[in-house]
Amino acid sequence: MEFDMVDKRFVDEVDVLADLDQRPNLLKLTPTEFESLIQNLFAKMGLDTKQTRASRDGGVDCVAFDPRPIFGGKVVIQAKRYRNTVDVSAVRDLFGTLQNEGASKGILVTTSGYGPASYDFASGKPLELIDGSNLLYLLAEHAEVKARIDPGEAV
């Protein structure tokens, strides 16, 4: 299976991981830096990733292509650098975007967390919700970055 790697929304990759200090506070990153960080992370996890432009991106911050047969496909990723719980409307929006994009999976990544309504909506759908603690784990495991999320210190 071949994936169409041309999309006018894609922008040049920025390696945010290389410029992070030890124990960076993810809430101090700009929204664009946070989106780049997420794109960098999924690239480190072995996916072919492309970050989309900051506006008019159709609800997609990053597109990842998983080349594995059967399990792979196009993955749309939304990144939310939030202090408060992500509303279920963001999960619903991601599901609509997944369908519109013809993707096989949608991933919503946040620095905060999700409420029960979000998990209920995502249940049984090809959606993955990654909260702040899981994001920190993935950064440590795959990018060797021991980040933190400290709302009291954020700008």
Side-chain angles (χ1 to χ4, degrees):
M1 175 181 268
E2 289 189 30
F3 298 110
D4 182 6
M5 298 297 285
V6 177
D7 191 318
K8 64 184 178 196
R9 297 173 298 177
F10 294 163
V11 295
D12 292 334
E13 181 177 334
V14 177
D15 189 359
V16 173
L17 288 172
D19 295 331
L20 287 178
D21 295 328
Q22 190 63 6
R23 299 282 301 151
N25 183 358
L26 299 184
L27 292 177
K28 285 192 168 185
L29 298 175
T30 67
T32 303
E33 288 172 333
F34 184 67
E35 290 173 11
S36 293
L37 173 79
I38 298 307
Q39 183 263 323
N40 296 162
L41 173 61
F42 282 97
K44 291 270 188 191
M45 293 172 70
L47 300 176
D48 186 1
T49 60
K50 300 291 182 189
Q51 185 175 349
T52 60
R53 62 182 177 225
S55 62
R56 305 183 88 139
D57 59 12
V60 178
D61 293 328
C62 176
V63 176
F65 299 95
D66 185 344
R68 297 177 304 162
I70 300 171
F71 301 108
K74 181 179 182 181
V75 180
V76 290
I77 301 169
Q78 184 65 249
K80 303 282 186 196
R81 187 187 55 103
Y82 283 9
R83 294 178 193 200
N84 298 318
T85 302
V86 175
D87 192 71
V88 67
S89 63
V91 182
R92 288 187 190 118
D93 290 347
L94 177 62
F95 187 61
T97 300
L98 174 147
Q99 293 176 318
N100 186 57
E101 292 281 328
S104 59
K105 185 173 198 152
I107 301 174
L108 188 56
V109 183
T110 186
T111 50
S112 61
Y114 304 95
S118 294
Y119 289 110
D120 287 347
F121 181 82
S123 179
K125 295 177 181 69
L127 297 174
E128 187 77 35
L129 305 180
I130 299 175
D131 64 13
S133 61
N134 285 316
L135 173 57
L136 294 176
Y137 170 79
L138 291 173
L139 284 167
E141 185 73 16
H142 297 282
E144 298 178 4
V145 171
K146 295 193 183 303
R148 59 197 170 92
I149 300 169
D150 186 351
E153 189 184 285
V155 184

